[in-house]
Coordinates of all heavy atoms in Angstrom, one line a residue:
M15 N -10.7 -49.3 23.6 CA -9.8 -48.1 23.6 C -10.5 -46.9 24.2 O -11.6 -46.4 23.7 CB -9.3 -47.9 22.1 CG -8.3 -46.7 22.1 SD -7.9 -46.7 20.3 CE -6.5 -45.6 20.5
K16 N -9.9 -46.2 25.0 CA -10.5 -45.0 25.8 C -10.0 -43.8 25.0 O -8.8 -43.6 24.9 CB -10.1 -45.1 27.2 CG -10.8 -44.0 28.1 CD -10.6 -44.0 29.5 CE -11.3 -42.9 30.1 NZ -11.0 -42.8 31.5
V17 N -10.9 -42.9 24.7 CA -10.5 -41.6 24.1 C -10.3 -40.6 25.2 O -11.1 -40.5 26.2 CB -11.8 -41.1 23.2 CG1 -11.4 -39.7 22.6 CG2 -12.0 -42.2 22.1
P18 N -9.1 -40.0 25.2 CA -8.9 -39.0 26.2 C -9.8 -37.8 26.2 O -10.3 -37.4 25.0 CB -7.4 -38.5 25.9 CG -7.2 -38.9 24.5 CD -8.0 -40.0 24.2
D19 N -10.2 -37.3 27.4 CA -11.0 -36.2 27.5 C -10.2 -34.8 27.2 O -9.5 -34.4 28.0 CB -11.7 -36.2 28.8 CG -12.7 -35.1 29.0 OD1 -13.3 -34.7 28.0 OD2 -12.9 -34.6 30.1
V20 N -10.5 -34.3 26.0 CA -9.8 -33.1 25.7 C -10.9 -32.0 25.5 O -11.9 -32.1 24.8 CB -9.1 -33.1 24.3 CG1 -8.4 -31.8 24.0 CG2 -8.1 -34.3 24.4
S21 N -10.7 -30.9 26.3 CA -11.6 -29.9 26.3 C -11.2 -28.8 25.3 O -10.3 -28.0 25.5 CB -11.7 -29.2 27.7 OG -12.6 -28.1 27.6
Y22 N -11.8 -28.9 24.2 CA -11.4 -28.0 23.0 C -11.9 -26.5 23.3 O -11.3 -25.6 22.9 CB -12.0 -28.4 21.6 CG -11.3 -29.7 21.2 CD1 -12.0 -30.9 21.2 CD2 -10.1 -29.6 20.7 CE1 -11.3 -32.1 20.8 CE2 -9.4 -30.8 20.2 CZ -10.1 -32.0 20.3 OH -9.4 -33.0 19.9
A23 N -13.0 -26.4 24.0 CA -13.5 -25.1 24.4 C -12.5 -24.3 25.2 O -12.2 -23.2 25.0 CB -14.8 -25.2 25.1
K24 N -11.8 -25.1 26.2 CA -10.9 -24.4 27.0 C -9.5 -24.0 26.2 O -9.0 -23.0 26.4 CB -10.4 -25.4 28.1 CG -9.6 -24.7 29.2 CD -9.6 -25.4 30.5 CE -8.5 -26.5 30.4 NZ -8.4 -27.3 31.7
F25 N -9.3 -25.0 25.2 CA -8.1 -24.6 24.4 C -8.3 -23.4 23.4 O -7.5 -22.6 23.2 CB -7.9 -25.9 23.5 CG -6.8 -25.6 22.5 CD1 -5.3 -25.6 22.8 CD2 -7.1 -25.5 21.2 CE1 -4.4 -25.4 21.9 CE2 -6.0 -25.3 20.2 CZ -4.7 -25.2 20.5
L26 N -9.6 -23.4 22.9 CA -9.9 -22.3 22.0 C -10.0 -20.9 22.7 O -9.8 -19.9 22.2 CB -11.1 -22.6 21.1 CG -10.9 -23.8 20.1 CD1 -12.3 -24.1 19.6 CD2 -10.0 -23.5 19.1
A27 N -10.6 -21.0 23.9 CA -10.7 -19.8 24.7 C -9.4 -19.2 25.2 O -9.4 -18.1 25.6 CB -11.7 -20.1 25.8
R28 N -8.4 -19.9 25.2 CA -7.1 -19.5 25.7 C -6.4 -18.4 24.8 O -6.5 -18.6 23.7 CB -6.1 -20.7 25.8 CG -4.8 -20.4 26.6 CD -4.1 -21.7 26.8 NE -3.8 -22.4 25.5 CZ -3.4 -23.6 25.3 NH1 -3.1 -24.3 26.4 NH2 -3.1 -24.1 24.0
P29 N -6.1 -17.3 25.3 CA -5.5 -16.3 24.5 C -4.2 -16.8 23.9 O -3.4 -17.4 24.6 CB -5.3 -15.1 25.4 CG -5.2 -15.7 26.8 CD -6.0 -16.9 26.7
N30 N -3.9 -16.4 22.7 CA -2.7 -17.0 22.0 C -1.8 -15.8 21.5 O -1.0 -15.9 20.6 CB -3.1 -17.8 20.7 CG -4.0 -17.1 19.8 OD1 -4.3 -16.0 20.0 ND2 -4.4 -17.8 18.7
Y31 N -1.9 -14.6 22.3 CA -0.9 -13.6 21.9 C 0.3 -13.8 22.9 O 0.3 -14.4 23.9 CB -1.6 -12.2 22.3 CG -2.2 -12.1 23.6 CD1 -1.5 -11.7 24.7 CD2 -3.6 -12.3 23.8 CE1 -2.0 -11.6 25.9 CE2 -4.2 -12.2 24.9 CZ -3.4 -11.8 26.0 OH -3.9 -11.7 27.3
G32 N 1.4 -13.4 22.4 CA 2.6 -13.4 23.1 C 3.3 -14.7 23.0 O 4.2 -15.0 23.8
W33 N 2.9 -15.6 22.2 CA 3.6 -16.9 22.1 C 4.8 -17.0 21.3 O 5.7 -17.7 21.5 CB 2.5 -17.9 21.6 CG 1.5 -18.4 22.6 CD1 1.4 -17.8 23.8 CD2 0.6 -19.4 22.3 NE1 0.3 -18.4 24.4 CE2 -0.2 -19.3 23.6 CE3 0.3 -20.2 21.5 CZ2 -1.2 -20.3 23.8 CZ3 -0.7 -21.1 21.6 CH2 -1.5 -21.2 22.7
G34 N 4.8 -16.3 20.2 CA 5.9 -16.3 19.2 C 7.0 -15.3 19.6 O 7.1 -14.6 20.6
P35 N 8.1 -15.4 18.7 CA 9.2 -14.4 19.0 C 8.7 -13.0 18.7 O 7.7 -12.7 18.0 CB 10.2 -14.9 17.9 CG 9.4 -15.6 16.9 CD 8.3 -16.2 17.6
K36 N 9.5 -12.1 19.3 CA 9.1 -10.7 19.0 C 9.3 -10.2 17.6 O 10.2 -10.7 17.0 CB 9.9 -9.8 20.0 CG 9.5 -9.9 21.5 CD 10.1 -8.9 22.3 CE 9.6 -9.2 23.6 NZ 9.4 -7.9 24.5
V37 N 8.5 -9.4 17.1 CA 8.5 -8.9 15.7 C 9.6 -7.9 15.7 O 9.5 -6.8 16.4 CB 7.3 -8.4 15.3 CG1 7.3 -7.8 13.9 CG2 6.2 -9.6 15.3
E38 N 10.5 -8.0 14.7 CA 11.5 -6.9 14.5 C 11.0 -6.0 13.4 O 11.0 -6.4 12.2 CB 12.8 -7.6 14.1 CG 13.9 -6.6 13.7 CD 14.3 -5.7 14.8 OE1 14.4 -6.1 16.0 OE2 14.3 -4.4 14.6
A39 N 10.5 -4.9 13.8 CA 9.8 -4.0 12.8 C 10.7 -3.1 12.1 O 10.4 -2.4 11.1 CB 8.7 -3.1 13.6
G40 N 12.0 -2.9 12.5 CA 12.9 -1.9 11.9 C 13.5 -2.6 10.7 O 13.7 -3.9 10.6
D41 N 14.0 -1.7 9.8 CA 14.6 -2.1 8.5 C 15.2 -0.9 8.0 O 15.2 0.2 8.5 CB 13.7 -2.8 7.6 CG 14.4 -3.7 6.6 OD1 15.6 -3.8 6.6 OD2 13.7 -4.4 5.9
A42 N 15.6 -1.0 6.7 CA 16.1 0.2 5.9 C 15.5 0.2 4.6 O 15.1 -0.9 3.9 CB 17.6 0.1 5.8
L43 N 15.2 1.4 4.0 CA 14.7 1.5 2.7 C 15.9 1.4 1.6 O 17.0 1.3 2.1 CB 14.1 2.8 2.5 CG 12.8 3.2 3.3 CD1 12.4 4.6 3.2 CD2 11.8 2.2 3.1
K44 N 15.6 1.2 0.3 CA 16.5 1.1 -0.6 C 17.7 2.2 -0.7 O 18.8 1.9 -1.0 CB 15.9 1.0 -2.0 CG 15.4 -0.3 -2.4 CD 14.7 -0.2 -3.7 CE 14.7 -1.5 -4.5 NZ 14.2 -1.3 -5.9
D45 N 17.3 3.3 -0.3 CA 18.2 4.5 -0.3 C 18.9 4.6 1.0 O 19.7 5.5 1.1 CB 17.4 5.8 -0.6 CG 16.3 6.1 0.5 OD1 16.2 5.4 1.5 OD2 15.6 7.1 0.3
G46 N 18.8 3.7 1.9 CA 19.6 3.6 3.1 C 19.0 4.3 4.3 O 19.5 4.2 5.4
R47 N 17.9 4.9 4.2 CA 17.2 5.5 5.4 C 16.6 4.3 6.1 O 16.0 3.4 5.8 CB 16.1 6.5 5.0 CG 16.6 7.7 4.1 CD 15.4 8.6 3.8 NE 14.6 8.0 2.8 CZ 13.5 8.5 2.4 NH1 12.9 9.4 3.0 NH2 12.7 7.8 1.5
K48 N 17.0 4.5 7.5 CA 16.5 3.4 8.5 C 15.3 3.8 9.3 O 15.1 5.0 9.5 CB 17.6 3.1 9.4 CG 18.9 2.5 8.6 CD 19.9 2.1 9.6 CE 21.0 1.5 8.8 NZ 22.0 0.7 9.5
F49 N 14.5 2.8 9.7 CA 13.4 3.0 10.6 C 13.4 2.0 11.6 O 13.8 0.9 11.4 CB 12.1 3.1 9.8 CG 11.8 2.0 9.0 CD1 11.0 1.0 9.5 CD2 12.2 1.9 7.7 CE1 10.6 -0.2 8.7 CE2 11.9 0.7 6.9 CZ 11.2 -0.3 7.4
A50 N 12.8 2.3 12.8 CA 12.8 1.4 13.9 C 11.4 0.7 14.1 O 11.3 -0.4 14.6 CB 13.2 2.0 15.2
D51 N 10.3 1.4 13.7 CA 9.0 1.0 13.9 C 8.1 1.5 12.8 O 8.6 2.2 11.9 CB 8.5 1.2 15.3 CG 8.5 2.8 15.6 OD1 8.8 3.5 14.7 OD2 8.2 3.1 16.8
L52 N 6.8 1.2 13.0 CA 5.8 1.5 11.9 C 5.7 3.0 11.9 O 5.5 3.6 10.8 CB 4.5 0.9 12.3 CG 3.4 1.0 11.2 CD1 3.9 0.6 9.8 CD2 2.1 0.4 11.6
A53 N 5.8 3.7 13.0 CA 5.5 5.2 13.0 C 6.7 5.9 12.2 O 6.5 6.8 11.5 CB 5.5 5.7 14.4
E54 N 7.9 5.3 12.4 CA 9.1 6.0 11.7 C 8.9 5.6 10.2 O 9.3 6.5 9.3 CB 10.4 5.5 12.3 CG 10.7 6.1 13.6 CD 12.0 5.6 14.1 OE1 12.8 5.0 13.4 OE2 12.2 5.7 15.3
F55 N 8.5 4.4 9.8 CA 8.4 4.1 8.4 C 7.3 5.0 7.8 O 7.5 5.5 6.8 CB 7.9 2.6 8.4 CG 7.7 2.1 7.0 CD1 8.6 2.1 6.1 CD2 6.4 1.6 6.5 CE1 8.5 1.6 4.7 CE2 6.1 1.2 5.3 CZ 7.2 1.1 4.4
K56 N 6.3 5.2 8.5 CA 5.2 6.1 8.0 C 5.8 7.6 7.7 O 5.5 8.2 6.7 CB 4.0 6.2 8.9 CG 2.8 7.0 8.5 CD 1.8 7.0 9.5 CE 0.7 8.0 9.2 NZ -0.4 8.0 10.1
Q57 N 6.5 8.0 8.6 CA 7.2 9.4 8.4 C 8.0 9.4 7.3 O 8.1 10.4 6.6 CB 7.9 9.8 9.7 CG 7.0 10.1 10.9 CD 6.0 11.2 10.6 OE1 6.3 12.1 10.0 NE2 4.8 10.9 11.0
L58 N 8.8 8.3 7.0 CA 9.7 8.3 5.8 C 8.9 8.2 4.5 O 9.2 8.9 3.6 CB 10.6 7.0 6.0 CG 11.7 7.0 6.9 CD1 12.4 5.8 7.0 CD2 12.7 8.1 6.8
L59 N 7.7 7.6 4.5 CA 6.9 7.5 3.4 C 6.3 8.9 3.2 O 6.3 9.3 1.9 CB 5.8 6.5 3.4 CG 6.3 5.0 3.4 CD1 5.1 4.1 3.5 CD2 7.0 4.7 2.0
L60 N 5.9 9.5 4.1 CA 5.2 10.8 4.1 C 6.2 12.0 3.7 O 5.7 13.0 3.3 CB 4.4 11.1 5.3 CG 3.2 10.2 5.5 CD1 2.6 10.6 6.8 CD2 2.2 10.3 4.3
A61 N 7.5 11.6 3.8 CA 8.4 12.8 3.4 C 8.4 13.0 2.0 O 8.8 14.1 1.6 CB 9.8 12.3 3.9
D62 N 8.0 12.1 1.1 CA 7.9 12.3 -0.3 C 6.5 11.9 -0.8 O 6.3 10.7 -1.2 CB 8.9 11.5 -1.0 CG 8.9 11.8 -2.5 OD1 8.2 12.7 -2.9 OD2 9.6 11.0 -3.3
P63 N 5.5 12.8 -0.7 CA 4.1 12.4 -1.0 C 3.9 12.1 -2.4 O 3.1 11.4 -2.8 CB 3.2 13.6 -0.5 CG 4.2 14.8 -0.4 CD 5.5 14.2 -0.1
D64 N 4.8 12.7 -3.3 CA 4.7 12.4 -4.7 C 5.0 10.8 -5.0 O 4.4 10.3 -5.9 CB 5.7 13.1 -5.6 CG 5.3 14.6 -5.9 OD1 4.1 14.9 -5.5 OD2 6.0 15.3 -6.5
Q65 N 6.0 10.3 -4.2 CA 6.2 8.9 -4.4 C 5.0 8.0 -4.1 O 4.8 7.1 -4.7 CB 7.5 8.5 -3.5 CG 7.9 7.0 -3.7 CD 9.0 6.7 -2.8 OE1 9.5 7.5 -2.0 NE2 9.6 5.6 -2.9
V66 N 4.4 8.3 -3.0 CA 3.1 7.6 -2.6 C 2.1 7.7 -3.5 O 1.4 6.8 -4.0 CB 2.8 8.1 -1.1 CG1 1.4 7.3 -0.7 CG2 3.8 7.8 -0.1
A67 N 1.9 8.9 -4.1 CA 0.8 9.2 -5.1 C 1.2 8.5 -6.3 O 0.3 7.9 -7.0 CB 0.7 10.7 -5.3
R68 N 2.4 8.4 -6.7 CA 2.8 7.8 -7.9 C 2.5 6.2 -7.8 O 1.9 5.6 -8.7 CB 4.2 8.0 -8.1 CG 4.7 7.5 -9.5 CD 6.1 8.0 -9.8 NE 6.4 9.5 -9.7 CZ 7.0 10.0 -8.7 NH1 7.5 9.4 -7.8 NH2 7.0 11.4 -8.7
A69 N 2.8 5.7 -6.7 CA 2.6 4.3 -6.4 C 1.1 3.9 -6.5 O 0.7 2.9 -7.1 CB 3.3 3.8 -5.2
V70 N 0.3 4.6 -5.8 CA -1.2 4.5 -5.8 C -1.7 4.7 -7.3 O -2.6 3.9 -7.7 CB -1.8 5.3 -4.7 CG1 -3.4 5.2 -4.9 CG2 -1.3 4.9 -3.4
T71 N -1.2 5.7 -7.9 CA -1.7 5.9 -9.3 C -1.4 4.8 -10.3 O -2.2 4.3 -11.0 CB -1.1 7.2 -9.9 OG1 -1.4 8.3 -9.1 CG2 -1.6 7.5 -11.3
Q72 N -0.1 4.2 -10.1 CA 0.2 3.1 -10.9 C -0.7 1.8 -10.7 O -1.2 1.2 -11.6 CB 1.6 2.7 -10.7 CG 2.6 3.7 -11.3 CD 4.0 3.5 -10.9 OE1 4.3 2.7 -9.9 NE2 4.9 4.1 -11.5
K73 N -1.0 1.6 -9.3 CA -1.8 0.5 -9.0 C -3.3 0.7 -9.5 O -3.9 -0.1 -10.0 CB -1.9 0.3 -7.6 CG -0.6 -0.1 -6.9 CD 0.0 -1.3 -7.5 CE 1.2 -1.7 -6.9 NZ 1.8 -3.0 -7.5
L74 N -3.7 2.0 -9.3 CA -5.2 2.3 -9.8 C -5.3 2.1 -11.4 O -6.3 1.7 -11.9 CB -5.5 3.7 -9.4 CG -6.1 3.8 -8.0 CD1 -6.4 5.3 -7.7 CD2 -7.5 3.1 -7.9
M75 N -4.2 2.5 -12.1 CA -4.2 2.5 -13.5 C -4.2 1.1 -14.0 O -4.9 0.7 -14.9 CB -3.0 3.3 -14.1 CG -3.1 3.6 -15.5 SD -4.5 4.8 -15.9 CE -3.7 6.3 -15.4
V76 N -3.4 0.2 -13.3 CA -3.4 -1.3 -13.7 C -4.8 -1.8 -13.4 O -5.3 -2.6 -14.3 CB -2.3 -2.0 -12.8 CG1 -2.6 -3.5 -13.0 CG2 -0.9 -1.6 -13.4
Y77 N -5.4 -1.5 -12.4 CA -6.7 -2.0 -12.0 C -7.8 -1.5 -12.9 O -8.6 -2.2 -13.6 CB -7.1 -1.6 -10.6 CG -8.5 -2.0 -10.2 CD1 -8.7 -3.4 -9.9 CD2 -9.6 -1.2 -10.1 CE1 -10.0 -3.9 -9.6 CE2 -10.8 -1.6 -9.7 CZ -11.0 -2.9 -9.5 OH -12.3 -3.3 -9.1
A78 N -7.7 -0.2 -13.3 CA -8.7 0.5 -14.1 C -8.7 0.0 -15.5 O -9.6 -0.1 -16.2 CB -8.5 1.9 -14.1
T79 N -7.4 -0.2 -16.1 CA -7.3 -0.6 -17.5 C -7.3 -2.1 -17.7 O -7.5 -2.6 -18.8 CB -5.9 -0.1 -18.0 OG1 -4.8 -0.6 -17.3 CG2 -5.9 1.5 -18.1
G80 N -7.0 -2.8 -16.7 CA -7.1 -4.3 -16.8 C -5.8 -4.8 -17.4 O -5.8 -6.0 -17.8
G81 N -4.7 -4.0 -17.5 CA -3.4 -4.4 -18.0 C -2.3 -3.8 -17.4 O -2.4 -2.8 -16.7
G82 N -1.1 -4.3 -17.7 CA 0.0 -3.7 -17.0 C 0.6 -2.4 -17.7 O 0.1 -2.1 -18.8
L83 N 1.4 -1.7 -17.0 CA 1.8 -0.5 -17.5 C 3.2 -0.7 -18.3 O 3.9 -1.6 -18.1 CB 2.2 0.5 -16.4 CG 1.0 0.9 -15.6 CD1 1.4 1.7 -14.3 CD2 0.0 1.6 -16.4
Q84 N 3.4 0.1 -19.2 CA 4.5 0.0 -20.1 C 5.4 1.2 -19.8 O 5.0 2.1 -19.1 CB 4.2 0.0 -21.6 CG 3.1 -1.0 -22.1 CD 3.8 -2.4 -21.9 OE1 4.9 -2.6 -22.1 NE2 3.0 -3.3 -21.4
Y85 N 6.7 1.3 -20.3 CA 7.6 2.3 -20.0 C 7.0 3.6 -20.7 O 7.2 4.7 -20.0 CB 8.9 2.1 -20.7 CG 10.0 3.1 -20.5 CD1 10.5 3.3 -19.3 CD2 10.3 4.0 -21.5 CE1 11.4 4.3 -19.1 CE2 11.2 5.0 -21.2 CZ 11.7 5.1 -19.9 OH 12.7 6.1 -19.8
G86 N 6.3 3.6 -21.7 CA 5.8 4.8 -22.4 C 4.6 5.3 -21.6 O 4.1 6.5 -22.0
D87 N 4.0 4.7 -20.6 CA 2.9 5.1 -19.9 C 3.3 6.1 -18.7 O 2.5 6.8 -18.2 CB 2.1 3.9 -19.4 CG 1.5 3.0 -20.4 OD1 1.3 3.5 -21.5 OD2 1.3 1.8 -20.1
Q88 N 4.6 6.1 -18.5 CA 5.2 6.8 -17.4 C 4.9 8.4 -17.4 O 4.5 9.0 -16.4 CB 6.6 6.7 -17.1 CG 7.1 7.0 -15.8 CD 6.4 6.3 -14.7 OE1 6.1 5.1 -14.8 NE2 6.2 6.9 -13.6
P89 N 5.0 9.0 -18.6 CA 4.6 10.4 -18.7 C 3.1 10.7 -18.3 O 2.9 11.7 -17.6 CB 4.9 10.8 -20.1 CG 5.9 9.8 -20.6 CD 5.5 8.6 -19.8
E90 N 2.3 9.8 -18.6 CA 0.8 10.1 -18.3 C 0.6 9.8 -16.7 O -0.1 10.6 -16.1 CB -0.1 9.1 -19.1 CG -1.5 9.3 -18.8 CD -2.0 10.6 -19.4 OE1 -1.3 11.3 -20.3 OE2 -3.0 11.1 -18.9
I91 N 1.4 8.9 -16.1 CA 1.3 8.7 -14.7 C 1.8 10.0 -14.1 O 1.2 10.5 -13.1 CB 2.2 7.6 -14.3 CG1 1.6 6.2 -14.9 CG2 2.3 7.4 -12.8 CD1 0.3 5.7 -14.3
E92 N 2.9 10.6 -14.5 CA 3.5 11.9 -14.0 C 2.4 13.0 -14.1 O 2.4 13.9 -13.2 CB 4.7 12.2 -14.6 CG 5.9 11.2 -14.2 CD 6.1 11.0 -12.8 OE1 6.1 12.0 -12.1 OE2 6.4 9.9 -12.3
R93 N 1.7 13.0 -15.2 CA 0.6 14.1 -15.3 C -0.4 13.9 -14.3 O -1.0 14.9 -13.8 CB 0.2 14.1 -16.8 CG 0.9 14.8 -17.9 CD 0.2 15.0 -19.2 NE 0.2 13.8 -20.0 CZ 1.1 13.3 -20.7 NH1 2.3 13.9 -20.8 NH2 1.0 12.2 -21.4
V94 N -0.9 12.7 -14.1 CA -1.8 12.5 -13.1 C -1.4 12.9 -11.8 O -2.2 13.6 -11.0 CB -2.4 11.0 -13.1 CG1 -3.3 10.7 -12.0 CG2 -3.1 10.7 -14.4
V95 N -0.2 12.5 -11.4 CA 0.4 12.9 -10.1 C 0.4 14.4 -10.0 O 0.1 14.9 -8.9 CB 1.7 12.2 -9.9 CG1 2.4 12.7 -8.6 CG2 1.6 10.7 -9.7
A96 N 0.9 15.1 -11.0 CA 1.0 16.5 -11.0 C -0.4 17.2 -10.8 O -0.6 18.1 -10.1 CB 1.6 17.1 -12.3
K97 N -1.4 16.6 -11.4 CA -2.8 17.2 -11.3 C -3.3 17.0 -9.9 O -4.0 17.8 -9.4 CB -3.6 16.5 -12.4 CG -5.0 17.1 -12.5 CD -5.9 16.3 -13.4 CE -5.4 16.5 -14.9 NZ -6.3 15.8 -15.9
V98 N -3.0 15.8 -9.3 CA -3.5 15.5 -8.0 C -2.8 16.3 -6.9 O -3.3 16.6 -5.8 CB -3.4 14.1 -7.7 CG1 -3.8 13.6 -6.3 CG2 -4.4 13.3 -8.7
K99 N -1.6 16.7 -7.2 CA -0.7 17.4 -6.2 C -1.4 18.8 -5.9 O -1.4 19.2 -4.7 CB 0.7 17.6 -6.8 CG 1.6 18.3 -5.9 CD 3.0 18.4 -6.5 CE 4.0 19.0 -5.6 NZ 5.3 18.9 -6.1
D100 N -2.0 19.4 -7.0 CA -2.6 20.7 -6.7 C -3.9 20.5 -5.8 O -4.3 21.5 -5.2 CB -3.1 21.3 -8.0 CG -1.9 21.6 -8.9 OD1 -0.8 21.8 -8.3 OD2 -2.1 21.7 -10.2
Q101 N -4.3 19.3 -5.7 CA -5.5 19.0 -4.9 C -5.2 18.3 -3.6 O -6.1 17.5 -3.1 CB -6.5 18.3 -5.7 CG -7.0 19.2 -6.9 CD -7.7 18.3 -8.0 OE1 -7.7 17.1 -8.0 NE2 -8.2 18.9 -9.0
K102 N -4.0 18.4 -3.1 CA -3.6 17.8 -1.8 C -3.6 16.3 -1.8 O -3.9 15.6 -0.8 CB -4.3 18.5 -0.7 CG -4.0 20.0 -0.6 CD -4.8 20.5 0.6 CE -4.6 22.0 0.6 NZ -5.4 22.6 1.7
Y103 N -3.5 15.6 -2.9 CA -3.3 14.2 -3.0 C -4.6 13.4 -2.5 O -4.5 12.3 -2.0 CB -2.1 13.7 -2.3 CG -0.8 14.3 -2.7 CD1 -0.2 15.2 -2.0 CD2 -0.2 13.8 -3.9 CE1 0.9 15.7 -2.4 CE2 1.0 14.3 -4.4 CZ 1.6 15.4 -3.6 OH 2.7 15.8 -4.0
G104 N -5.8 14.1 -2.7 CA -7.1 13.4 -2.3 C -7.3 12.1 -3.1 O -6.9 12.1 -4.3
L105 N -7.8 11.2 -2.5 CA -8.1 9.9 -3.2 C -9.2 10.1 -4.3 O -9.1 9.5 -5.4 CB -8.5 8.8 -2.2 CG -8.7 7.4 -2.8 CD1 -7.5 6.9 -3.5 CD2 -9.3 6.5 -1.9
R106 N -10.2 10.9 -3.9 CA -11.3 11.1 -4.8 C -10.8 11.8 -6.1 O -11.0 11.6 -7.3 CB -12.3 11.9 -4.2 CG -13.5 12.3 -5.2 CD -14.6 13.0 -4.5 NE -15.2 12.2 -3.6 CZ -16.3 12.5 -2.8 NH1 -16.8 13.7 -2.9 NH2 -16.9 11.7 -2.0
S107 N -9.8 12.8 -5.8 CA -9.2 13.5 -7.0 C -8.3 12.6 -7.8 O -8.3 12.8 -9.0 CB -8.3 14.6 -6.4 OG -9.1 15.5 -5.6
L108 N -7.6 11.7 -7.1 CA -6.8 10.8 -7.9 C -7.6 9.8 -8.7 O -7.3 9.6 -9.9 CB -6.0 9.9 -6.8 CG -5.0 8.9 -7.5 CD1 -4.0 9.5 -8.3 CD2 -4.4 8.1 -6.3
V109 N -8.7 9.3 -8.2 CA -9.6 8.4 -9.0 C -10.1 9.2 -10.3 O -10.2 8.7 -11.3 CB -10.7 7.8 -8.2 CG1 -11.8 7.1 -9.0 CG2 -10.1 6.9 -7.2
H110 N -10.6 10.5 -10.0 CA -11.1 11.2 -11.1 C -10.0 11.5 -12.2 O -10.3 11.5 -13.3 CB -11.5 12.6 -10.6 CG -13.0 12.5 -9.9 ND1 -13.8 13.7 -9.9 CD2 -13.5 11.5 -9.3 CE1 -14.9 13.2 -9.2 NE2 -14.8 11.9 -8.9
A111 N -8.7 11.8 -11.7 CA -7.6 12.1 -12.7 C -7.4 10.9 -13.5 O -7.0 11.0 -14.6 CB -6.5 12.6 -11.8
V112 N -7.4 9.7 -12.8 CA -7.1 8.5 -13.5 C -8.2 8.2 -14.6 O -7.8 7.8 -15.7 CB -7.0 7.3 -12.5 CG1 -7.1 5.9 -13.2 CG2 -5.8 7.3 -11.7
V113 N -9.4 8.4 -14.3 CA -10.4 8.2 -15.2 C -10.4 9.1 -16.4 O -10.7 8.8 -17.5 CB -11.9 8.2 -14.6 CG1 -13.0 8.2 -15.5 CG2 -11.9 7.1 -13.6
L114 N -10.0 10.4 -16.1 CA -10.0 11.4 -17.2 C -8.7 11.3 -17.9 O -8.5 12.1 -18.9 CB -10.1 12.8 -16.5 CG -11.5 13.0 -15.9 CD1 -11.5 14.4 -15.3 CD2 -12.6 13.0 -17.1
S115 N -7.7 10.4 -17.6 CA -6.5 10.4 -18.2 C -6.6 9.7 -19.7 O -7.4 8.9 -19.9 CB -5.4 9.7 -17.4 OG -5.7 8.2 -17.3
E116 N -5.7 10.2 -20.5 CA -5.5 9.6 -21.9 C -5.3 8.1 -21.8 O -5.9 7.3 -22.6 CB -4.5 10.3 -22.7 CG -4.9 11.6 -23.1 CD -6.1 11.7 -24.0 OE1 -6.1 10.9 -25.0 OE2 -6.8 12.6 -23.9
L117 N -4.5 7.7 -20.9 CA -4.1 6.2 -20.7 C -5.3 5.4 -20.4 O -5.6 4.3 -20.9 CB -3.1 6.1 -19.5 CG -2.4 4.7 -19.3 CD1 -1.7 4.3 -20.7 CD2 -1.5 4.8 -18.2
F118 N -6.3 5.9 -19.5 CA -7.4 5.2 -19.2 C -8.4 5.2 -20.4 O -9.0 4.0 -20.6 CB -8.1 5.8 -17.9 CG -9.4 5.1 -17.6 CD1 -9.5 3.9 -17.0 CD2 -10.6 5.8 -17.9 CE1 -10.7 3.3 -16.7 CE2 -11.8 5.1 -17.6 CZ -11.8 3.9 -17.1
R119 N -8.6 6.3 -21.1 CA -9.5 6.3 -22.1 C -9.1 5.6 -23.4 O -9.9 5.3 -24.2 CB -9.8 7.8 -22.4 CG -10.7 8.4 -21.3 CD -11.1 9.8 -21.6 NE -9.9 10.7 -21.7 CZ -9.9 11.8 -22.4 NH1 -11.0 12.2 -23.0 NH2 -8.9 12.6 -22.5
N120 N -7.8 5.4 -23.6 CA -7.2 4.9 -24.8 C -6.7 3.4 -24.7 O -6.3 2.9 -25.6 CB -6.3 5.8 -25.5 CG -6.9 7.1 -25.8 OD1 -8.1 7.1 -26.3 ND2 -6.2 8.2 -25.8
K121 N -6.7 2.9 -23.6 CA -6.1 1.6 -23.4 C -7.0 0.5 -23.4 O -8.1 0.5 -22.9 CB -5.3 1.5 -22.1 CG -4.2 0.4 -22.2 CD -3.3 0.7 -21.1 CE -2.0 -0.3 -21.2 NZ -1.1 -0.2 -20.3

């Protein structure tokens, strides 16, 4: 039985971009605002920086405490976001505010 000569190096060196269907990047947010590409999506997110800071704060808090958030934790999340808002939503400021929060120290 003869094994066909397959050049794997030639197969692996072949560029594989452009093979699939085009990506449809546009969609709509829950509130109905639509976007056509990543740049428009970014602009929609940046229209409400509190929302982005709140989401990052929640994720950091879950990571920092090792447990999920409860409904009663929301006021503390809002206090952290308010504190970081005065400092232009810096990541370093956000981490410091999370570590200094009552939720982090008591959970």
